[in-house]
Amino acid sequence: MLVIDFSKYMFPCLNKKMFGIDCPGCGAQRATVLLFQGKFEEAFHMYPAIYTLLLLGLTLVFGIFNNSKQLIIVRNLLICINVLVIIISYLIKMKIIHI
């Protein structure tokens, strides 16, 4: 079985390189790779917004072909959910919020 080391091809986090702290997007690339490898739970733990971002991406692609009012409402709701999930998971990761 062919195993590809995707870590060689990932973009580095400039925020982490320059300031030494994670950005709100840190982990998204690795979570995407885990998702494609079928490691769904690990992908969620790596970057909790991976699934809501996937849903948002699907609605954006579907919106190219059908731009109905309901789809716009769903898209805007998914954008708000994504922002909240990203911010909350970042605050938890940075240990600002304790759960």
Side-chain angles (χ1 to χ4, degrees):
M1 177 182 213
L2 178 65
V3 177
I4 299 173
D5 182 14
F6 288 101
S7 63
K8 297 178 193 175
Y9 307 105
M10 291 188 190
F11 295 110
C13 177
L14 295 178
N15 192 56
K16 193 165 190 168
K17 275 192 162 194
M18 293 175 66
F19 304 114
I21 58 172
D22 290 348
C23 72
C26 278
Q29 289 182 90
R30 290 171 288 172
T32 304
V33 170
L34 289 169
L35 191 66
F36 284 121
Q37 292 174 344
K39 300 175 181 175
F40 304 113
E41 189 175 340
E42 290 178 39
F44 176 77
H45 287 292
M46 179 66 63
Y47 194 71
I50 189 71
Y51 294 111
T52 54
L53 284 172
L54 183 64
L55 286 173
L56 177 61
L58 289 173
T59 59
L60 291 174
V61 169
F62 191 65
I64 294 170
F65 306 106
N66 178 10
N67 208 11
S68 67
K69 188 173 183 174
Q70 291 85 4
L71 189 63
I72 292 171
I73 292 169
V74 169
R75 183 192 64 209
N76 291 340
L77 179 65
L78 282 171
I79 289 170
C80 293
I81 290 170
N82 274 299
V83 168
L84 284 173
V85 170
I86 291 169
I87 289 172
I88 291 169
S89 63
Y90 180 70
L91 293 174
I92 291 169
K93 184 189 336 183
M94 299 305 291
K95 296 182 174 53
I96 296 171
I97 296 177
H98 303 284
I99 58 168

